[in-house]
Amino acid sequence: MGGAYYKNGTISLDVPIATGSASLPDIKDAYVMPKPECGAVGAVDPLDPTIALPGKYTDFPPDGVTSMEPGLYCVDELKIQNDLVGENVLIVLSGGVRMNGNAYISLKGRTQGEYEGLLMYMVQSHMQQITINGNSASEFSGTILAPRSHITINGTGKSGNFVTQIIADTVTLSGDSDLFIEYNENKIYHATTLARIELAK
C-alpha cells in the first residue's frame, strides 16, 4: 500500500511502500502551506490612533493601539503588553510572540476567503518561540499554524475562550490555572491537500 503525489510536474511515490497498513504521508508532501502577502506597510488609522490597519509591521502593536481592523498583518515581532482586540484577522509571523497575561486579548481568525479559520501563521523557514499568556477574560479563535516552532501556552481560564487548533513542532502547556482548548471544525483552518492516489493490492 502507498501513495503517489503530483507536484511541480513530477510524480513522487511513497518510499518504502508499506505492506499490511496504510502509509502516513509527510506533512510537507501532503499539505500546501499558505502563502499570504501583506502588501503595503501598516499604519494606524489617521482618525483614530488606537486602531491598527492591515499591512507590514516590524513591531506590533504600535504604541497606543488597542484594536485591529480586519485583514492581513505581517509582523516581525508580536509583543502584546496591553489590551488588544481583533476580529477577522490573520497574523503572519517571522519573529517571536509574547503576550502579557494581565492584558485582555481577543483575537479571532479569518472568517472567509482562502485563509478562513487561520489566526496565526509562522512560515516554516522561521522557528521562533511563541508564548501565549492568557487570562480568564482573553479569547482566541482560529488555527495557530507554526510547523517548526515551539509554542508555550499558559492557562487561559474558563472554557469557551480558546477555540483553536495548534500545529507546531512542540507544544508546552504550563501555568497553574486551568486550560480549556475547544476544537470546533467550523472555526479552524483547512489546509489544501495535494492530489493523492492510493494503491493497494
Side-chain angles (χ1 to χ4, degrees), residues 107-109 117-119 139-143 161-164 187:
L107 297 176
K108 299 181 180 180
L118 190 57
L119 173 61
E139 301 174 281
F140 300 91
S141 178
T143 296
N161 283 19
F162 209 114
V163 183
T164 186
K187 294 185 178 181

Side-chain angles (χ1 to χ4, degrees), residues 53-74:
L53 303 177
K56 298 177 182 177
Y57 291 85
T58 300
D59 295 309
F60 191 87
D63 290 341
V65 165
T66 57
S67 64
M68 305 165 65
E69 280 288 302
L72 181 59
Y73 294 77
C74 289

